[in-house]
Amino acid sequence: LVVRTETPFNAGMPPATLVDSQVTPIERFFVRSHAPAPEIDEAAFRLSVGGATEKTLGLSLGELRDRFPKKTVVATLQCAGNRRAELSAVEPINDQVQWDADPIGNAEWGGVPLREVLQAAGIGEGALHAAFTGLDGVQEKGTTFGFGGSVPIEKAMSAEVLLAYEMNGQPLPLDHGAPLRVVVPGYIGARSVKWLGSISLQAEPSDNHYQARAYKIFPPHVRADTADWPNGLMLGELSVTSAICRPAAGENVAISPVTVQGYAAAGGGRLVERVEVSVDGGESWAVANLLGEPNRWAWRLWEIRLDLDPGEHELISRAWDSAANTQPEDVRKIWNFKGYMNNAWHRVTVNVAG
Amino acid sequence: LVVRTETPFNAGMPPATLVDSQVTPIERFFVRSHAPAPEIDEAAFRLSVGGATEKTLGLSLGELRDRFPKKTVVATLQCAGNRRAELSAVEPINDQVQWDADPIGNAEWGGVPLREVLQAAGIGEGALHAAFTGLDGVQEKGTTFGFGGSVPIEKAMSAEVLLAYEMNGQPLPLDHGAPLRVVVPGYIGARSVKWLGSISLQAEPSDNHYQARAYKIFPPHVRADTADWPNGLMLGELSVTSAICRPAAGENVAISPVTVQGYAAAGGGRLVERVEVSVDGGESWAVANLLGEPNRWAWRLWEIRLDLDPGEHELISRAWDSAANTQPEDVRKIWNFKGYMNNAWHRVTVNVAG
């Protein structure tokens, strides 16, 4: 893993390695943390479930395993800050992790469907959002609190949202949120709260800093001091994206045809319908081969072989989802001062040997 | 209505009039037909429901009204060919209706939730799609058949899909599909089959020409004779879009500030989160005021007052949806030979008097 920050721990793999397998091995799965991993006494651990519920629950890990069905979901997690470095190249975005196309991975998550737990607690009146709070200690503005976020109740009650205690068939690793994390497929990674301590059903989205203020996008001309924070676009479902992983940026390629490989992902359960690659600045596009099978919650790896003349070439990828949304052309036009949701056409310049 | 073609009847209002009301009056609602309106004997009419169902049904209009609950849904319908004229300006798209930003409208539809009828028939094994066929007579490739299309069974079973027999509290007009039409909110208008005659549950999408071949998008370099038809992107949910309705293109505006008004719509139940307007080619954007209330199935009208110097100005709008998808910048980069889903930034040039 390429370490971005040590404390809290943030790291990812070189993008070229992401396309090695449909399911990302744990040791290669990016880590995104807002606080150091907390020490949690698993014997004493109780997941608190309350708010607008008919009763409150305090569930031990044993109860979560024994009282509720276990389900596995193959799902991609992606940080809303994916490809922030390209935004920072337009205008620097400070105090944020400078991610390349690396904070994305696909795993088989095992755990309890969240809706089973919510049904056991009973959905109360006015329960419009499920808010999650972690047991970590984020420091922000001089206070310490658990990282948190929320999803609408319809999403919380969907079949795909898990309280996960396993990853790729292994016990969930500490860096990925052990002993228990939320996994919200199709949403920005920040909603998949790690080191989960409590769930609250409530009428409004979470008032946690990371829901109420961070993870919002603002128009390009807005800066922190001019932001109308309550009216920022509160992120939820991911937008459609793709990235070229191989060849890597700046790579010298010995021979043509060149095999170009990458990933594509669509948010909210939409499917990746098509990935296109251009070598002429977007004037014409070739259609890449989608690998594997369609899966509403998982990325789609793709590849294409291109005949390229010797010299320097800019390779561009763009994906289309099942709602016919595609990626914006120009990263400058979607720049935002927090550096989120850069799904502009992905561009990689390579050199083909003469 | 501005008539685009007399037979079949296709017509829409000048875009400037679309923003007059949140609910579009019937007499101003665009009409999109692939065949002349059929003469249907309402007394003899029976809606056929079959395929992968536990039993087949033949439901009279009286039975549909009396045996099933009635529901109203305010929903926007939008043709996949909205703004085709802009695509044709890049390269002509022949034999298609040359729509401006007009084939869109928002109505209160009244009728039976489709799922009530499907539940009465019983969902059979292998029922993955609900296919609809009209009683009109489309002529295509020397044969005559009813216009048709399908939606996935999850959508068919959702709360918002109706078999509508009323529009804005009135009996459904013939041009809008009387006596019965499907209304599929959030999907391209073509799935809201008019003059509905039969519903079939089945394992595959409809093999009707308008699902299996038309209403697909292909990459910009593909033409009819090079299209890999089965692998086109089969349209379903709409992508995010917006349009400037007032001032109209080419309009001479007497005074500044200028009130700019338009519509925005997001597909698949996503919300319009933000509409931005630029007067400098997309370098900077002002945020428009969204009118009315959020509604997953209805358009969002918007307005903004702009101070403009005397002279010519290009006004541009773009919308963002709740999955952080936004509109593509350049219509040339999404050109497709069938002319669908043009959701590029909408550009209107106006003159401000000196």
PDB file of all heavy atoms in Angstrom, chain A residues 34 131-138 140 143-150 190-191 193 198 202 204-216 234:
ATOM      1  N   HIS A  34     -10.549   8.609   9.303  1.00  0.00           N
ATOM      2  CA  HIS A  34     -10.548   9.995   9.764  1.00  0.00           C
ATOM      3  C   HIS A  34      -9.969  10.114  11.165  1.00  0.00           C
ATOM      4  O   HIS A  34      -9.811  11.212  11.690  1.00  0.00           O
ATOM      5  CB  HIS A  34     -11.966  10.571   9.723  1.00  0.00           C
ATOM      6  CG  HIS A  34     -12.493  10.706   8.322  1.00  0.00           C
ATOM      7  ND1 HIS A  34     -12.930   9.637   7.582  1.00  0.00           N
ATOM      8  CD2 HIS A  34     -12.615  11.794   7.506  1.00  0.00           C
ATOM      9  CE1 HIS A  34     -13.322  10.065   6.385  1.00  0.00           C
ATOM     10  NE2 HIS A  34     -13.135  11.355   6.316  1.00  0.00           N
ATOM     11  N   ALA A 131     -28.852   6.810  11.059  1.00  0.00           N
ATOM     12  CA  ALA A 131     -27.570   7.480  11.312  1.00  0.00           C
ATOM     13  C   ALA A 131     -26.628   6.522  12.031  1.00  0.00           C
ATOM     14  O   ALA A 131     -27.027   5.839  12.975  1.00  0.00           O
ATOM     15  CB  ALA A 131     -27.792   8.740  12.145  1.00  0.00           C
ATOM     16  N   PHE A 132     -25.390   6.489  11.562  1.00  0.00           N
ATOM     17  CA  PHE A 132     -24.373   5.594  12.096  1.00  0.00           C
ATOM     18  C   PHE A 132     -23.285   6.420  12.772  1.00  0.00           C
ATOM     19  O   PHE A 132     -22.853   7.435  12.230  1.00  0.00           O
ATOM     20  CB  PHE A 132     -23.728   4.785  10.970  1.00  0.00           C
ATOM     21  CG  PHE A 132     -24.715   4.216   9.987  1.00  0.00           C
ATOM     22  CD1 PHE A 132     -24.701   4.603   8.648  1.00  0.00           C
ATOM     23  CD2 PHE A 132     -25.675   3.295  10.397  1.00  0.00           C
ATOM     24  CE1 PHE A 132     -25.612   4.084   7.734  1.00  0.00           C
ATOM     25  CE2 PHE A 132     -26.593   2.760   9.491  1.00  0.00           C
ATOM     26  CZ  PHE A 132     -26.559   3.163   8.155  1.00  0.00           C
ATOM     27  N   THR A 133     -22.805   5.958  13.934  1.00  0.00           N
ATOM     28  CA  THR A 133     -21.698   6.642  14.591  1.00  0.00           C
ATOM     29  C   THR A 133     -20.636   5.637  14.974  1.00  0.00           C
ATOM     30  O   THR A 133     -20.952   4.554  15.506  1.00  0.00           O
ATOM     31  CB  THR A 133     -22.172   7.413  15.835  1.00  0.00           C
ATOM     32  OG1 THR A 133     -23.273   8.258  15.470  1.00  0.00           O
ATOM     33  CG2 THR A 133     -21.052   8.287  16.403  1.00  0.00           C
ATOM     34  N   GLY A 134     -19.391   5.996  14.700  1.00  0.00           N
ATOM     35  CA  GLY A 134     -18.264   5.121  14.989  1.00  0.00           C
ATOM     36  C   GLY A 134     -17.733   5.326  16.396  1.00  0.00           C
ATOM     37  O   GLY A 134     -18.060   6.297  17.084  1.00  0.00           O
ATOM     38  N   LEU A 135     -16.887   4.381  16.803  1.00  0.00           N
ATOM     39  CA  LEU A 135     -16.268   4.427  18.129  1.00  0.00           C
ATOM     40  C   LEU A 135     -14.881   5.049  18.073  1.00  0.00           C
ATOM     41  O   LEU A 135     -14.149   5.041  19.060  1.00  0.00           O
ATOM     42  CB  LEU A 135     -16.192   3.015  18.716  1.00  0.00           C
ATOM     43  CG  LEU A 135     -17.560   2.369  18.996  1.00  0.00           C
ATOM     44  CD1 LEU A 135     -17.398   0.878  19.272  1.00  0.00           C
ATOM     45  CD2 LEU A 135     -18.245   3.072  20.167  1.00  0.00           C
ATOM     46  N   ASP A 136     -14.511   5.578  16.908  1.00  0.00           N
ATOM     47  CA  ASP A 136     -13.220   6.244  16.799  1.00  0.00           C
ATOM     48  C   ASP A 136     -13.345   7.658  17.377  1.00  0.00           C
ATOM     49  O   ASP A 136     -14.419   8.080  17.790  1.00  0.00           O
ATOM     50  CB  ASP A 136     -12.754   6.280  15.339  1.00  0.00           C
ATOM     51  CG  ASP A 136     -13.818   6.840  14.393  1.00  0.00           C
ATOM     52  OD1 ASP A 136     -14.959   7.065  14.838  1.00  0.00           O
ATOM     53  OD2 ASP A 136     -13.513   7.051  13.209  1.00  0.00           O
ATOM     54  N   GLY A 137     -12.258   8.347  17.413  1.00  0.00           N
ATOM     55  CA  GLY A 137     -12.254   9.690  17.983  1.00  0.00           C
ATOM     56  C   GLY A 137     -11.693  10.686  16.994  1.00  0.00           C
ATOM     57  O   GLY A 137     -10.496  10.980  16.975  1.00  0.00           O
ATOM     58  N   VAL A 138     -12.584  11.226  16.183  1.00  0.00           N
ATOM     59  CA  VAL A 138     -12.184  12.233  15.206  1.00  0.00           C
ATOM     60  C   VAL A 138     -11.992  13.551  15.933  1.00  0.00           C
ATOM     61  O   VAL A 138     -12.771  13.899  16.822  1.00  0.00           O
ATOM     62  CB  VAL A 138     -13.266  12.388  14.122  1.00  0.00           C
ATOM     63  CG1 VAL A 138     -12.880  13.464  13.136  1.00  0.00           C
ATOM     64  CG2 VAL A 138     -13.508  11.071  13.421  1.00  0.00           C
ATOM     65  N   GLU A 140     -11.898  17.532  15.407  1.00  0.00           N
ATOM     66  CA  GLU A 140     -12.316  18.539  14.435  1.00  0.00           C
ATOM     67  C   GLU A 140     -12.787  19.742  15.225  1.00  0.00           C
ATOM     68  O   GLU A 140     -13.629  19.610  16.116  1.00  0.00           O
ATOM     69  CB  GLU A 140     -13.452  17.942  13.587  1.00  0.00           C
ATOM     70  CG  GLU A 140     -13.901  18.759  12.406  1.00  0.00           C
ATOM     71  CD  GLU A 140     -12.935  18.706  11.235  1.00  0.00           C
ATOM     72  OE1 GLU A 140     -12.427  17.604  10.916  1.00  0.00           O
ATOM     73  OE2 GLU A 140     -12.667  19.780  10.676  1.00  0.00           O
ATOM     74  N   THR A 143     -12.965  19.610  19.148  1.00  0.00           N
ATOM     75  CA  THR A 143     -13.724  18.592  19.875  1.00  0.00           C
ATOM     76  C   THR A 143     -13.401  17.219  19.310  1.00  0.00           C
ATOM     77  O   THR A 143     -12.864  17.094  18.209  1.00  0.00           O
ATOM     78  CB  THR A 143     -15.241  18.821  19.775  1.00  0.00           C
ATOM     79  OG1 THR A 143     -15.629  18.726  18.401  1.00  0.00           O
ATOM     80  CG2 THR A 143     -15.633  20.189  20.312  1.00  0.00           C
ATOM     81  N   THR A 144     -13.712  16.200  20.087  1.00  0.00           N
ATOM     82  CA  THR A 144     -13.486  14.826  19.672  1.00  0.00           C
ATOM     83  C   THR A 144     -14.827  14.105  19.627  1.00  0.00           C
ATOM     84  O   THR A 144     -15.618  14.218  20.562  1.00  0.00           O
ATOM     85  CB  THR A 144     -12.543  14.112  20.651  1.00  0.00           C
ATOM     86  OG1 THR A 144     -11.313  14.858  20.706  1.00  0.00           O
ATOM     87  CG2 THR A 144     -12.245  12.694  20.191  1.00  0.00           C
ATOM     88  N   PHE A 145     -15.053  13.401  18.546  1.00  0.00           N
ATOM     89  CA  PHE A 145     -16.334  12.703  18.397  1.00  0.00           C
ATOM     90  C   PHE A 145     -16.149  11.537  17.443  1.00  0.00           C
ATOM     91  O   PHE A 145     -15.138  11.433  16.743  1.00  0.00           O
ATOM     92  CB  PHE A 145     -17.416  13.663  17.873  1.00  0.00           C
ATOM     93  CG  PHE A 145     -17.046  14.355  16.588  1.00  0.00           C
ATOM     94  CD1 PHE A 145     -17.411  13.815  15.365  1.00  0.00           C
ATOM     95  CD2 PHE A 145     -16.321  15.544  16.599  1.00  0.00           C
ATOM     96  CE1 PHE A 145     -17.056  14.441  14.171  1.00  0.00           C
ATOM     97  CE2 PHE A 145     -15.965  16.175  15.413  1.00  0.00           C
ATOM     98  CZ  PHE A 145     -16.326  15.622  14.202  1.00  0.00           C
ATOM     99  N   GLY A 146     -17.125  10.640  17.432  1.00  0.00           N
ATOM    100  CA  GLY A 146     -17.069   9.501  16.520  1.00  0.00           C
ATOM    101  C   GLY A 146     -17.467   9.908  15.117  1.00  0.00           C
ATOM    102  O   GLY A 146     -18.422  10.670  14.932  1.00  0.00           O
ATOM    103  N   PHE A 147     -16.731   9.418  14.133  1.00  0.00           N
ATOM    104  CA  PHE A 147     -17.082   9.657  12.728  1.00  0.00           C
ATOM    105  C   PHE A 147     -18.500   9.145  12.486  1.00  0.00           C
ATOM    106  O   PHE A 147     -18.880   8.092  12.994  1.00  0.00           O
ATOM    107  CB  PHE A 147     -16.098   8.923  11.818  1.00  0.00           C
ATOM    108  CG  PHE A 147     -16.381   9.108  10.352  1.00  0.00           C
ATOM    109  CD1 PHE A 147     -15.827  10.179   9.664  1.00  0.00           C
ATOM    110  CD2 PHE A 147     -17.200   8.223   9.669  1.00  0.00           C
ATOM    111  CE1 PHE A 147     -16.091  10.359   8.308  1.00  0.00           C
ATOM    112  CE2 PHE A 147     -17.461   8.394   8.310  1.00  0.00           C
ATOM    113  CZ  PHE A 147     -16.905   9.461   7.637  1.00  0.00           C
ATOM    114  N   GLY A 148     -19.289   9.880  11.709  1.00  0.00           N
ATOM    115  CA  GLY A 148     -20.667   9.439  11.470  1.00  0.00           C
ATOM    116  C   GLY A 148     -21.220   9.876  10.144  1.00  0.00           C
ATOM    117  O   GLY A 148     -20.638  10.697   9.419  1.00  0.00           O
ATOM    118  N   GLY A 149     -22.355   9.315   9.824  1.00  0.00           N
ATOM    119  CA  GLY A 149     -23.074   9.641   8.600  1.00  0.00           C
ATOM    120  C   GLY A 149     -24.403   8.931   8.609  1.00  0.00           C
ATOM    121  O   GLY A 149     -24.696   8.170   9.532  1.00  0.00           O
ATOM    122  N   SER A 150     -25.214   9.193   7.596  1.00  0.00           N
ATOM    123  CA  SER A 150     -26.530   8.569   7.564  1.00  0.00           C
ATOM    124  C   SER A 150     -26.952   8.259   6.138  1.00  0.00           C
ATOM    125  O   SER A 150     -26.376   8.783   5.180  1.00  0.00           O
ATOM    126  CB  SER A 150     -27.571   9.473   8.227  1.00  0.00           C
ATOM    127  OG  SER A 150     -27.666  10.717   7.564  1.00  0.00           O
ATOM    128  N   ALA A 190     -17.815   7.114   2.668  1.00  0.00           N
ATOM    129  CA  ALA A 190     -17.948   7.713   4.000  1.00  0.00           C
ATOM    130  C   ALA A 190     -19.203   7.246   4.733  1.00  0.00           C
ATOM    131  O   ALA A 190     -19.261   7.323   5.966  1.00  0.00           O
ATOM    132  CB  ALA A 190     -17.962   9.241   3.888  1.00  0.00           C
ATOM    133  N   ARG A 191     -20.196   6.771   3.988  1.00  0.00           N
ATOM    134  CA  ARG A 191     -21.421   6.304   4.666  1.00  0.00           C
ATOM    135  C   ARG A 191     -21.244   4.897   5.248  1.00  0.00           C
ATOM    136  O   ARG A 191     -22.067   4.456   6.055  1.00  0.00           O
ATOM    137  CB  ARG A 191     -22.619   6.339   3.721  1.00  0.00           C
ATOM    138  CG  ARG A 191     -22.879   7.697   3.084  1.00  0.00           C
ATOM    139  CD  ARG A 191     -22.986   8.851   4.071  1.00  0.00           C
ATOM    140  NE  ARG A 191     -23.139  10.130   3.368  1.00  0.00           N
ATOM    141  CZ  ARG A 191     -22.503  11.246   3.685  1.00  0.00           C
ATOM    142  NH1 ARG A 191     -21.642  11.296   4.706  1.00  0.00           N
ATOM    143  NH2 ARG A 191     -22.714  12.346   2.997  1.00  0.00           N
ATOM    144  N   VAL A 193     -19.712   3.467   7.628  1.00  0.00           N
ATOM    145  CA  VAL A 193     -19.013   3.864   8.858  1.00  0.00           C
ATOM    146  C   VAL A 193     -18.301   2.662   9.483  1.00  0.00           C
ATOM    147  O   VAL A 193     -18.886   1.594   9.655  1.00  0.00           O
ATOM    148  CB  VAL A 193     -20.015   4.504   9.841  1.00  0.00           C
ATOM    149  CG1 VAL A 193     -19.371   4.764  11.195  1.00  0.00           C
ATOM    150  CG2 VAL A 193     -20.567   5.801   9.244  1.00  0.00           C
ATOM    151  N   SER A 198     -23.064   2.810  17.145  1.00  0.00           N
ATOM    152  CA  SER A 198     -24.491   3.023  17.352  1.00  0.00           C
ATOM    153  C   SER A 198     -25.202   3.365  16.055  1.00  0.00           C
ATOM    154  O   SER A 198     -24.611   3.905  15.119  1.00  0.00           O
ATOM    155  CB  SER A 198     -24.722   4.142  18.374  1.00  0.00           C
ATOM    156  OG  SER A 198     -24.261   5.367  17.862  1.00  0.00           O
ATOM    157  N   GLN A 202     -33.938   8.414  12.746  1.00  0.00           N
ATOM    158  CA  GLN A 202     -34.292   9.797  13.035  1.00  0.00           C
ATOM    159  C   GLN A 202     -34.942  10.467  11.838  1.00  0.00           C
ATOM    160  O   GLN A 202     -34.928   9.937  10.725  1.00  0.00           O
ATOM    161  CB  GLN A 202     -33.042  10.559  13.471  1.00  0.00           C
ATOM    162  CG  GLN A 202     -31.864  10.424  12.532  1.00  0.00           C
ATOM    163  CD  GLN A 202     -30.554  10.895  13.182  1.00  0.00           C
ATOM    164  OE1 GLN A 202     -30.099  10.370  14.204  1.00  0.00           O
ATOM    165  NE2 GLN A 202     -29.957  11.912  12.574  1.00  0.00           N
ATOM    166  N   GLU A 204     -34.180  13.410  10.494  1.00  0.00           N
ATOM    167  CA  GLU A 204     -33.285  14.202   9.660  1.00  0.00           C
ATOM    168  C   GLU A 204     -31.992  13.434   9.403  1.00  0.00           C
ATOM    169  O   GLU A 204     -31.650  12.522  10.153  1.00  0.00           O
ATOM    170  CB  GLU A 204     -32.939  15.521  10.381  1.00  0.00           C
ATOM    171  CG  GLU A 204     -34.140  16.404  10.682  1.00  0.00           C
ATOM    172  CD  GLU A 204     -34.759  17.010   9.436  1.00  0.00           C
ATOM    173  OE1 GLU A 204     -34.058  17.145   8.421  1.00  0.00           O
ATOM    174  OE2 GLU A 204     -35.968  17.317   9.482  1.00  0.00           O
ATOM    175  N   PRO A 205     -31.252  13.818   8.366  1.00  0.00           N
ATOM    176  CA  PRO A 205     -29.922  13.225   8.189  1.00  0.00           C
ATOM    177  C   PRO A 205     -29.066  13.473   9.427  1.00  0.00           C
ATOM    178  O   PRO A 205     -29.344  14.372  10.228  1.00  0.00           O
ATOM    179  CB  PRO A 205     -29.354  13.965   6.973  1.00  0.00           C
ATOM    180  CG  PRO A 205     -30.550  14.471   6.239  1.00  0.00           C
ATOM    181  CD  PRO A 205     -31.579  14.769   7.299  1.00  0.00           C
ATOM    182  N   SER A 206     -28.025  12.687   9.583  1.00  0.00           N
ATOM    183  CA  SER A 206     -27.117  12.840  10.714  1.00  0.00           C
ATOM    184  C   SER A 206     -26.610  14.276  10.817  1.00  0.00           C
ATOM    185  O   SER A 206     -26.311  14.911   9.807  1.00  0.00           O
ATOM    186  CB  SER A 206     -25.921  11.899  10.535  1.00  0.00           C
ATOM    187  OG  SER A 206     -24.931  12.175  11.499  1.00  0.00           O
ATOM    188  N   ASP A 207     -26.487  14.775  12.058  1.00  0.00           N
ATOM    189  CA  ASP A 207     -25.882  16.091  12.234  1.00  0.00           C
ATOM    190  C   ASP A 207     -24.375  15.977  12.491  1.00  0.00           C
ATOM    191  O   ASP A 207     -23.728  16.957  12.838  1.00  0.00           O
ATOM    192  CB  ASP A 207     -26.571  16.873  13.358  1.00  0.00           C
ATOM    193  CG  ASP A 207     -26.459  16.170  14.704  1.00  0.00           C
ATOM    194  OD1 ASP A 207     -25.799  15.106  14.784  1.00  0.00           O
ATOM    195  OD2 ASP A 207     -27.039  16.689  15.680  1.00  0.00           O
ATOM    196  N   ASN A 208     -23.847  14.788  12.292  1.00  0.00           N
ATOM    197  CA  ASN A 208     -22.402  14.606  12.403  1.00  0.00           C
ATOM    198  C   ASN A 208     -21.695  15.497  11.366  1.00  0.00           C
ATOM    199  O   ASN A 208     -22.184  15.670  10.244  1.00  0.00           O
ATOM    200  CB  ASN A 208     -22.072  13.128  12.151  1.00  0.00           C
ATOM    201  CG  ASN A 208     -20.633  12.777  12.472  1.00  0.00           C
ATOM    202  OD1 ASN A 208     -19.726  13.089  11.717  1.00  0.00           O
ATOM    203  ND2 ASN A 208     -20.425  12.115  13.609  1.00  0.00           N
ATOM    204  N   HIS A 209     -20.547  16.032  11.767  1.00  0.00           N
ATOM    205  CA  HIS A 209     -19.770  16.902  10.879  1.00  0.00           C
ATOM    206  C   HIS A 209     -19.626  16.326   9.471  1.00  0.00           C
ATOM    207  O   HIS A 209     -19.672  17.068   8.483  1.00  0.00           O
ATOM    208  CB  HIS A 209     -18.372  17.101  11.498  1.00  0.00           C
ATOM    209  CG  HIS A 209     -17.410  17.832  10.615  1.00  0.00           C
ATOM    210  ND1 HIS A 209     -17.371  19.211  10.535  1.00  0.00           N
ATOM    211  CD2 HIS A 209     -16.444  17.386   9.761  1.00  0.00           C
ATOM    212  CE1 HIS A 209     -16.420  19.575   9.673  1.00  0.00           C
ATOM    213  NE2 HIS A 209     -15.848  18.484   9.200  1.00  0.00           N
ATOM    214  N   TYR A 210     -19.462  14.995   9.370  1.00  0.00           N
ATOM    215  CA  TYR A 210     -19.160  14.382   8.070  1.00  0.00           C
ATOM    216  C   TYR A 210     -20.391  14.145   7.202  1.00  0.00           C
ATOM    217  O   TYR A 210     -20.289  13.690   6.071  1.00  0.00           O
ATOM    218  CB  TYR A 210     -18.339  13.102   8.274  1.00  0.00           C
ATOM    219  CG  TYR A 210     -16.980  13.438   8.846  1.00  0.00           C
ATOM    220  CD1 TYR A 210     -16.741  13.396  10.224  1.00  0.00           C
ATOM    221  CD2 TYR A 210     -15.960  13.880   8.013  1.00  0.00           C
ATOM    222  CE1 TYR A 210     -15.513  13.764  10.747  1.00  0.00           C
ATOM    223  CE2 TYR A 210     -14.726  14.243   8.520  1.00  0.00           C
ATOM    224  CZ  TYR A 210     -14.510  14.187   9.892  1.00  0.00           C
ATOM    225  OH  TYR A 210     -13.291  14.557  10.402  1.00  0.00           O
ATOM    226  N   GLN A 211     -21.559  14.444   7.777  1.00  0.00           N
ATOM    227  CA  GLN A 211     -22.780  14.429   6.971  1.00  0.00           C
ATOM    228  C   GLN A 211     -23.301  15.851   6.782  1.00  0.00           C
ATOM    229  O   GLN A 211     -23.740  16.225   5.706  1.00  0.00           O
ATOM    230  CB  GLN A 211     -23.869  13.577   7.652  1.00  0.00           C
ATOM    231  CG  GLN A 211     -25.168  13.449   6.866  1.00  0.00           C
ATOM    232  CD  GLN A 211     -25.119  12.372   5.814  1.00  0.00           C
ATOM    233  OE1 GLN A 211     -24.498  11.336   6.001  1.00  0.00           O
ATOM    234  NE2 GLN A 211     -25.744  12.601   4.669  1.00  0.00           N
ATOM    235  N   ALA A 212     -23.224  16.630   7.846  1.00  0.00           N
ATOM    236  CA  ALA A 212     -23.860  17.950   7.837  1.00  0.00           C
ATOM    237  C   ALA A 212     -22.991  19.012   7.179  1.00  0.00           C
ATOM    238  O   ALA A 212     -23.500  20.044   6.723  1.00  0.00           O
ATOM    239  CB  ALA A 212     -24.210  18.376   9.263  1.00  0.00           C
ATOM    240  N   ARG A 213     -21.667  18.764   7.114  1.00  0.00           N
ATOM    241  CA  ARG A 213     -20.783  19.817   6.624  1.00  0.00           C
ATOM    242  C   ARG A 213     -19.775  19.271   5.605  1.00  0.00           C
ATOM    243  O   ARG A 213     -19.727  19.760   4.472  1.00  0.00           O
ATOM    244  CB  ARG A 213     -20.062  20.448   7.823  1.00  0.00           C
ATOM    245  CG  ARG A 213     -19.378  21.750   7.497  1.00  0.00           C
ATOM    246  CD  ARG A 213     -18.993  22.464   8.787  1.00  0.00           C
ATOM    247  NE  ARG A 213     -17.987  23.476   8.561  1.00  0.00           N
ATOM    248  CZ  ARG A 213     -18.231  24.784   8.499  1.00  0.00           C
ATOM    249  NH1 ARG A 213     -19.461  25.215   8.644  1.00  0.00           N
ATOM    250  NH2 ARG A 213     -17.258  25.644   8.303  1.00  0.00           N
ATOM    251  N   ALA A 214     -18.999  18.288   5.988  1.00  0.00           N
ATOM    252  CA  ALA A 214     -18.077  17.678   5.029  1.00  0.00           C
ATOM    253  C   ALA A 214     -18.882  16.789   4.076  1.00  0.00           C
ATOM    254  O   ALA A 214     -20.067  16.566   4.264  1.00  0.00           O
ATOM    255  CB  ALA A 214     -17.016  16.872   5.757  1.00  0.00           C
ATOM    256  N   TYR A 215     -18.203  16.319   3.059  1.00  0.00           N
ATOM    257  CA  TYR A 215     -18.850  15.477   2.042  1.00  0.00           C
ATOM    258  C   TYR A 215     -20.058  16.151   1.388  1.00  0.00           C
ATOM    259  O   TYR A 215     -21.101  15.553   1.185  1.00  0.00           O
ATOM    260  CB  TYR A 215     -19.198  14.088   2.610  1.00  0.00           C
ATOM    261  CG  TYR A 215     -17.949  13.294   2.918  1.00  0.00           C
ATOM    262  CD1 TYR A 215     -17.558  13.037   4.230  1.00  0.00           C
ATOM    263  CD2 TYR A 215     -17.135  12.837   1.889  1.00  0.00           C
ATOM    264  CE1 TYR A 215     -16.392  12.346   4.509  1.00  0.00           C
ATOM    265  CE2 TYR A 215     -15.967  12.138   2.154  1.00  0.00           C
ATOM    266  CZ  TYR A 215     -15.598  11.897   3.467  1.00  0.00           C
ATOM    267  OH  TYR A 215     -14.433  11.209   3.729  1.00  0.00           O
ATOM    268  N   LYS A 216     -19.851  17.433   1.106  1.00  0.00           N
ATOM    269  CA  LYS A 216     -20.803  18.170   0.278  1.00  0.00           C
ATOM    270  C   LYS A 216     -20.025  18.798  -0.869  1.00  0.00           C
ATOM    271  O   LYS A 216     -18.852  19.146  -0.706  1.00  0.00           O
ATOM    272  CB  LYS A 216     -21.482  19.275   1.092  1.00  0.00           C
ATOM    273  CG  LYS A 216     -22.455  18.765   2.139  1.00  0.00           C
ATOM    274  CD  LYS A 216     -23.210  19.920   2.783  1.00  0.00           C
ATOM    275  CE  LYS A 216     -24.305  19.369   3.683  1.00  0.00           C
ATOM    276  NZ  LYS A 216     -25.151  20.455   4.232  1.00  0.00           N
ATOM    277  N   MET A 234     -25.371  17.453  -0.578  1.00  0.00           N
ATOM    278  CA  MET A 234     -25.024  16.393   0.366  1.00  0.00           C
ATOM    279  C   MET A 234     -24.838  15.089  -0.404  1.00  0.00           C
ATOM    280  O   MET A 234     -25.772  14.589  -1.020  1.00  0.00           O
ATOM    281  CB  MET A 234     -26.141  16.255   1.404  1.00  0.00           C
ATOM    282  CG  MET A 234     -25.850  15.279   2.508  1.00  0.00           C
ATOM    283  SD  MET A 234     -27.270  15.153   3.677  1.00  0.00           S
ATOM    284  CE  MET A 234     -26.966  16.588   4.729  1.00  0.00           C
TER     285      MET A 234
END
